[in-house]
mmCIF file of all heavy atoms in Angstrom:
data_model
loop_
_atom_site.group_PDB
_atom_site.id
_atom_site.type_symbol
_atom_site.label_atom_id
_atom_site.label_comp_id
_atom_site.label_asym_id
_atom_site.label_seq_id
_atom_site.Cartn_x
_atom_site.Cartn_y
_atom_site.Cartn_z
ATOM 1 N N PRO A 652 12.406 21.753 -20.062
ATOM 2 C CA PRO A 652 12.576 20.315 -20.219
ATOM 3 C C PRO A 652 11.994 19.831 -21.563
ATOM 4 O O PRO A 652 10.877 20.165 -21.918
ATOM 5 C CB PRO A 652 11.767 19.740 -19.050
ATOM 6 C CG PRO A 652 10.772 20.790 -18.723
ATOM 7 C CD PRO A 652 11.371 22.096 -19.082
ATOM 8 N N SER A 653 12.793 19.093 -22.297
ATOM 9 C CA SER A 653 12.295 18.503 -23.536
ATOM 10 C C SER A 653 13.160 17.276 -23.774
ATOM 11 O O SER A 653 14.158 17.069 -23.078
ATOM 12 C CB SER A 653 12.425 19.469 -24.701
ATOM 13 O OG SER A 653 13.789 19.639 -25.014
ATOM 14 N N ARG A 654 12.771 16.480 -24.745
ATOM 15 C CA ARG A 654 13.587 15.294 -25.010
ATOM 16 C C ARG A 654 15.000 15.662 -25.358
ATOM 17 O O ARG A 654 15.952 14.998 -24.971
ATOM 18 C CB ARG A 654 12.952 14.516 -26.174
ATOM 19 C CG ARG A 654 11.654 13.893 -25.736
ATOM 20 C CD ARG A 654 10.941 13.323 -26.865
ATOM 21 N NE ARG A 654 11.861 12.612 -27.736
ATOM 22 C CZ ARG A 654 11.486 11.689 -28.574
ATOM 23 N NH1 ARG A 654 10.212 11.377 -28.627
ATOM 24 N NH2 ARG A 654 12.340 11.098 -29.334
ATOM 25 N N LYS A 655 15.131 16.787 -26.082
ATOM 26 C CA LYS A 655 16.475 17.182 -26.506
ATOM 27 C C LYS A 655 17.318 17.620 -25.318
ATOM 28 O O LYS A 655 18.447 17.174 -25.136
ATOM 29 C CB LYS A 655 16.367 18.293 -27.539
ATOM 30 C CG LYS A 655 17.696 18.624 -28.133
ATOM 31 C CD LYS A 655 17.562 19.100 -29.560
ATOM 32 C CE LYS A 655 18.923 19.138 -30.212
ATOM 33 N NZ LYS A 655 18.829 19.632 -31.574
ATOM 34 N N THR A 656 16.743 18.528 -24.467
ATOM 35 C CA THR A 656 17.555 19.029 -23.360
ATOM 36 C C THR A 656 17.856 17.925 -22.356
ATOM 37 O O THR A 656 18.891 17.961 -21.700
ATOM 38 C CB THR A 656 16.853 20.206 -22.638
ATOM 39 O OG1 THR A 656 15.561 19.786 -22.231
ATOM 40 C CG2 THR A 656 16.756 21.421 -23.521
ATOM 41 N N ILE A 657 16.968 16.951 -22.241
ATOM 42 C CA ILE A 657 17.263 15.843 -21.337
ATOM 43 C C ILE A 657 18.285 14.886 -21.942
ATOM 44 O O ILE A 657 19.245 14.495 -21.301
ATOM 45 C CB ILE A 657 15.958 15.097 -20.951
ATOM 46 C CG1 ILE A 657 15.099 15.984 -20.056
ATOM 47 C CG2 ILE A 657 16.259 13.796 -20.236
ATOM 48 C CD1 ILE A 657 13.739 15.447 -19.765
ATOM 49 N N ALA A 658 18.099 14.582 -23.231
ATOM 50 C CA ALA A 658 19.032 13.655 -23.884
ATOM 51 C C ALA A 658 20.446 14.244 -23.912
ATOM 52 O O ALA A 658 21.427 13.519 -23.798
ATOM 53 C CB ALA A 658 18.552 13.343 -25.304
ATOM 54 N N THR A 659 20.555 15.556 -24.086
ATOM 55 C CA THR A 659 21.874 16.163 -24.116
ATOM 56 C C THR A 659 22.369 16.508 -22.722
ATOM 57 O O THR A 659 23.529 16.906 -22.564
ATOM 58 C CB THR A 659 21.870 17.445 -24.976
ATOM 59 O OG1 THR A 659 20.810 18.278 -24.492
ATOM 60 C CG2 THR A 659 21.642 17.139 -26.439
ATOM 61 N N GLY A 660 21.480 16.419 -21.741
ATOM 62 C CA GLY A 660 21.935 16.655 -20.360
ATOM 63 C C GLY A 660 21.978 18.117 -19.981
ATOM 64 O O GLY A 660 22.506 18.442 -18.916
ATOM 65 N N THR A 661 21.459 19.026 -20.814
ATOM 66 C CA THR A 661 21.498 20.437 -20.431
ATOM 67 C C THR A 661 20.433 20.742 -19.387
ATOM 68 O O THR A 661 20.577 21.670 -18.602
ATOM 69 C CB THR A 661 21.299 21.366 -21.644
ATOM 70 O OG1 THR A 661 20.260 20.837 -22.464
ATOM 71 C CG2 THR A 661 22.561 21.488 -22.463
ATOM 72 N N TYR A 662 19.341 19.992 -19.400
ATOM 73 C CA TYR A 662 18.321 20.174 -18.371
ATOM 74 C C TYR A 662 18.872 19.651 -17.047
ATOM 75 O O TYR A 662 19.400 18.536 -17.009
ATOM 76 C CB TYR A 662 17.051 19.394 -18.780
ATOM 77 C CG TYR A 662 15.913 19.501 -17.829
ATOM 78 C CD1 TYR A 662 15.221 20.707 -17.694
ATOM 79 C CD2 TYR A 662 15.523 18.415 -17.066
ATOM 80 C CE1 TYR A 662 14.168 20.817 -16.806
ATOM 81 C CE2 TYR A 662 14.457 18.519 -16.177
ATOM 82 C CZ TYR A 662 13.786 19.723 -16.061
ATOM 83 O OH TYR A 662 12.735 19.826 -15.183
ATOM 84 N N PRO A 663 18.815 20.458 -15.995
ATOM 85 C CA PRO A 663 19.553 20.068 -14.767
ATOM 86 C C PRO A 663 19.052 18.797 -14.099
ATOM 87 O O PRO A 663 19.837 18.131 -13.420
ATOM 88 C CB PRO A 663 19.381 21.272 -13.850
ATOM 89 C CG PRO A 663 18.250 22.048 -14.414
ATOM 90 C CD PRO A 663 18.211 21.792 -15.866
ATOM 91 N N VAL A 664 17.782 18.463 -14.254
ATOM 92 C CA VAL A 664 17.298 17.257 -13.562
ATOM 93 C C VAL A 664 17.300 16.086 -14.539
ATOM 94 O O VAL A 664 16.277 15.451 -14.757
ATOM 95 C CB VAL A 664 15.912 17.487 -12.956
ATOM 96 C CG1 VAL A 664 15.658 16.478 -11.835
ATOM 97 C CG2 VAL A 664 15.764 18.883 -12.402
ATOM 98 N N SER A 665 18.425 15.805 -15.134
ATOM 99 C CA SER A 665 18.507 14.632 -16.015
ATOM 100 C C SER A 665 19.776 13.869 -15.700
ATOM 101 O O SER A 665 20.762 14.421 -15.234
ATOM 102 C CB SER A 665 18.472 15.060 -17.488
ATOM 103 O OG SER A 665 19.502 15.972 -17.747
ATOM 104 N N ARG A 666 19.707 12.580 -15.941
ATOM 105 C CA ARG A 666 20.868 11.733 -15.666
ATOM 106 C C ARG A 666 20.814 10.498 -16.540
ATOM 107 O O ARG A 666 19.724 10.054 -16.954
ATOM 108 C CB ARG A 666 20.890 11.319 -14.192
ATOM 109 C CG ARG A 666 19.671 10.528 -13.825
ATOM 110 C CD ARG A 666 19.774 10.023 -12.414
ATOM 111 N NE ARG A 666 18.539 9.327 -12.033
ATOM 112 C CZ ARG A 666 18.365 8.739 -10.870
ATOM 113 N NH1 ARG A 666 19.319 8.774 -9.971
ATOM 114 N NH2 ARG A 666 17.257 8.105 -10.576
ATOM 115 N N PRO A 667 21.985 9.922 -16.827
ATOM 116 C CA PRO A 667 21.969 8.693 -17.611
ATOM 117 C C PRO A 667 21.591 7.471 -16.752
ATOM 118 O O PRO A 667 21.861 7.464 -15.550
ATOM 119 C CB PRO A 667 23.418 8.569 -18.099
ATOM 120 C CG PRO A 667 24.212 9.355 -17.141
ATOM 121 C CD PRO A 667 23.330 10.401 -16.541
ATOM 122 N N LEU A 668 20.981 6.495 -17.361
ATOM 123 C CA LEU A 668 20.675 5.242 -16.680
ATOM 124 C C LEU A 668 21.549 4.132 -17.270
ATOM 125 O O LEU A 668 21.675 4.028 -18.480
ATOM 126 C CB LEU A 668 19.200 4.888 -16.849
ATOM 127 C CG LEU A 668 18.218 5.904 -16.289
ATOM 128 C CD1 LEU A 668 16.790 5.491 -16.581
ATOM 129 C CD2 LEU A 668 18.430 6.100 -14.804
ATOM 130 N N TYR A 669 22.153 3.347 -16.397
ATOM 131 C CA TYR A 669 23.133 2.354 -16.867
ATOM 132 C C TYR A 669 22.667 0.932 -16.700
ATOM 133 O O TYR A 669 21.878 0.621 -15.829
ATOM 134 C CB TYR A 669 24.418 2.493 -16.031
ATOM 135 C CG TYR A 669 25.041 3.852 -15.998
ATOM 136 C CD1 TYR A 669 24.702 4.747 -14.997
ATOM 137 C CD2 TYR A 669 26.001 4.222 -16.924
ATOM 138 C CE1 TYR A 669 25.287 6.007 -14.942
ATOM 139 C CE2 TYR A 669 26.591 5.462 -16.872
ATOM 140 C CZ TYR A 669 26.236 6.371 -15.877
ATOM 141 O OH TYR A 669 26.807 7.586 -15.829
ATOM 142 N N MET A 670 23.228 0.085 -17.575
ATOM 143 C CA MET A 670 23.240 -1.338 -17.282
ATOM 144 C C MET A 670 24.718 -1.723 -17.295
ATOM 145 O O MET A 670 25.420 -1.436 -18.264
ATOM 146 C CB MET A 670 22.475 -2.121 -18.350
ATOM 147 C CG MET A 670 20.954 -1.980 -18.221
ATOM 148 S SD MET A 670 20.108 -2.997 -19.409
ATOM 149 C CE MET A 670 18.412 -2.510 -19.091
ATOM 150 N N PHE A 671 25.186 -2.343 -16.241
ATOM 151 C CA PHE A 671 26.579 -2.761 -16.154
ATOM 152 C C PHE A 671 26.688 -4.254 -16.428
ATOM 153 O O PHE A 671 25.876 -5.041 -15.955
ATOM 154 C CB PHE A 671 27.152 -2.473 -14.763
ATOM 155 C CG PHE A 671 27.661 -1.067 -14.609
ATOM 156 C CD1 PHE A 671 26.807 -0.051 -14.223
ATOM 157 C CD2 PHE A 671 28.986 -0.757 -14.846
ATOM 158 C CE1 PHE A 671 27.262 1.251 -14.075
ATOM 159 C CE2 PHE A 671 29.456 0.538 -14.697
ATOM 160 C CZ PHE A 671 28.579 1.550 -14.311
ATOM 161 N N THR A 672 27.709 -4.627 -17.207
ATOM 162 C CA THR A 672 27.981 -6.045 -17.392
ATOM 163 C C THR A 672 29.426 -6.307 -16.983
ATOM 164 O O THR A 672 30.233 -5.393 -16.903
ATOM 165 C CB THR A 672 27.810 -6.466 -18.877
ATOM 166 O OG1 THR A 672 28.600 -5.576 -19.679
ATOM 167 C CG2 THR A 672 26.366 -6.397 -19.300
ATOM 168 N N ALA A 673 29.719 -7.579 -16.717
ATOM 169 C CA ALA A 673 31.069 -7.954 -16.362
ATOM 170 C C ALA A 673 31.862 -8.114 -17.658
ATOM 171 O O ALA A 673 31.727 -9.113 -18.351
ATOM 172 C CB ALA A 673 31.051 -9.253 -15.568
ATOM 173 N N GLY A 674 32.648 -7.149 -17.997
ATOM 174 C CA GLY A 674 33.333 -7.142 -19.291
ATOM 175 C C GLY A 674 32.309 -6.869 -20.382
ATOM 176 O O GLY A 674 31.110 -6.878 -20.133
ATOM 177 N N TYR A 675 32.782 -6.632 -21.628
ATOM 178 C CA TYR A 675 31.798 -6.474 -22.676
ATOM 179 C C TYR A 675 31.212 -7.845 -22.987
ATOM 180 O O TYR A 675 31.966 -8.804 -23.171
ATOM 181 C CB TYR A 675 32.401 -5.849 -23.935
ATOM 182 C CG TYR A 675 31.326 -5.282 -24.844
ATOM 183 C CD1 TYR A 675 30.751 -4.055 -24.566
ATOM 184 C CD2 TYR A 675 30.843 -6.021 -25.921
ATOM 185 C CE1 TYR A 675 29.739 -3.556 -25.338
ATOM 186 C CE2 TYR A 675 29.817 -5.522 -26.711
ATOM 187 C CZ TYR A 675 29.260 -4.292 -26.413
ATOM 188 O OH TYR A 675 28.238 -3.811 -27.171
ATOM 189 N N PRO A 676 29.898 -7.984 -23.024
ATOM 190 C CA PRO A 676 29.325 -9.328 -23.182
ATOM 191 C C PRO A 676 29.726 -9.969 -24.500
ATOM 192 O O PRO A 676 29.980 -9.265 -25.481
ATOM 193 C CB PRO A 676 27.825 -9.078 -23.117
ATOM 194 C CG PRO A 676 27.649 -7.632 -23.388
ATOM 195 C CD PRO A 676 28.880 -6.935 -22.904
ATOM 196 N N LYS A 677 29.783 -11.297 -24.502
ATOM 197 C CA LYS A 677 30.129 -12.062 -25.698
ATOM 198 C C LYS A 677 29.147 -11.688 -26.806
ATOM 199 O O LYS A 677 27.944 -11.698 -26.607
ATOM 200 C CB LYS A 677 30.030 -13.562 -25.390
ATOM 201 C CG LYS A 677 30.743 -14.424 -26.364
ATOM 202 C CD LYS A 677 30.789 -15.864 -25.848
ATOM 203 C CE LYS A 677 30.708 -16.830 -26.987
ATOM 204 N NZ LYS A 677 29.425 -17.495 -27.140
ATOM 205 N N LEU A 678 29.698 -11.341 -27.968
ATOM 206 C CA LEU A 678 28.847 -10.885 -29.054
ATOM 207 C C LEU A 678 27.809 -11.969 -29.406
ATOM 208 O O LEU A 678 28.163 -13.133 -29.508
ATOM 209 C CB LEU A 678 29.674 -10.533 -30.288
ATOM 210 C CG LEU A 678 30.670 -9.403 -30.059
ATOM 211 C CD1 LEU A 678 31.418 -9.093 -31.364
ATOM 212 C CD2 LEU A 678 29.995 -8.158 -29.547
ATOM 213 N N GLY A 679 26.572 -11.549 -29.568
ATOM 214 C CA GLY A 679 25.525 -12.496 -29.935
ATOM 215 C C GLY A 679 24.918 -13.209 -28.766
ATOM 216 O O GLY A 679 23.912 -13.896 -28.908
ATOM 217 N N SER A 680 25.531 -13.092 -27.581
ATOM 218 C CA SER A 680 24.931 -13.752 -26.419
ATOM 219 C C SER A 680 23.671 -13.014 -26.009
ATOM 220 O O SER A 680 23.411 -11.903 -26.460
ATOM 221 C CB SER A 680 25.925 -13.753 -25.252
ATOM 222 O OG SER A 680 26.109 -12.418 -24.801
ATOM 223 N N MET A 681 22.888 -13.670 -25.149
ATOM 224 C CA MET A 681 21.623 -13.049 -24.735
ATOM 225 C C MET A 681 21.904 -11.740 -23.991
ATOM 226 O O MET A 681 21.190 -10.748 -24.162
ATOM 227 C CB MET A 681 20.871 -14.037 -23.850
ATOM 228 C CG MET A 681 19.373 -13.858 -23.839
ATOM 229 S SD MET A 681 18.652 -13.621 -25.466
ATOM 230 C CE MET A 681 18.070 -15.239 -25.863
ATOM 231 N N THR A 682 22.931 -11.737 -23.163
ATOM 232 C CA THR A 682 23.283 -10.520 -22.437
ATOM 233 C C THR A 682 23.597 -9.380 -23.428
ATOM 234 O O THR A 682 23.154 -8.245 -23.257
ATOM 235 C CB THR A 682 24.524 -10.765 -21.553
ATOM 236 O OG1 THR A 682 24.310 -11.974 -20.822
ATOM 237 C CG2 THR A 682 24.747 -9.631 -20.604
ATOM 238 N N HIS A 683 24.357 -9.714 -24.459
ATOM 239 C CA HIS A 683 24.712 -8.726 -25.469
ATOM 240 C C HIS A 683 23.471 -8.170 -26.137
ATOM 241 O O HIS A 683 23.329 -6.976 -26.306
ATOM 242 C CB HIS A 683 25.653 -9.356 -26.503
ATOM 243 C CG HIS A 683 26.072 -8.409 -27.585
ATOM 244 N ND1 HIS A 683 25.589 -8.503 -28.877
ATOM 245 C CD2 HIS A 683 26.902 -7.338 -27.554
ATOM 246 C CE1 HIS A 683 26.103 -7.523 -29.592
ATOM 247 N NE2 HIS A 683 26.905 -6.805 -28.834
ATOM 248 N N ARG A 684 22.560 -9.082 -26.501
ATOM 249 C CA ARG A 684 21.328 -8.635 -27.151
ATOM 250 C C ARG A 684 20.532 -7.723 -26.222
ATOM 251 O O ARG A 684 19.937 -6.760 -26.662
ATOM 252 C CB ARG A 684 20.452 -9.856 -27.513
ATOM 253 C CG ARG A 684 20.870 -10.470 -28.821
ATOM 254 C CD ARG A 684 19.989 -11.633 -29.147
ATOM 255 N NE ARG A 684 20.809 -12.766 -29.590
ATOM 256 C CZ ARG A 684 20.342 -14.001 -29.719
ATOM 257 N NH1 ARG A 684 19.086 -14.282 -29.434
ATOM 258 N NH2 ARG A 684 21.132 -14.941 -30.133
#
Side-chain angles (χ1 to χ4, degrees):
Chain A
S653 70
R654 290 172 43 159
K655 187 149 192 181
T656 54
I657 290 173
T659 52
T661 43
Y662 181 69
V664 201
S665 56
R666 61 175 177 178
L668 299 178
Y669 306 91
M670 285 184 184
F671 275 87
T672 52
Y675 198 79
K677 198 170 146 255
L678 298 182
S680 67
M681 207 45 98
T682 312
H683 180 253
R684 277 181 225 168

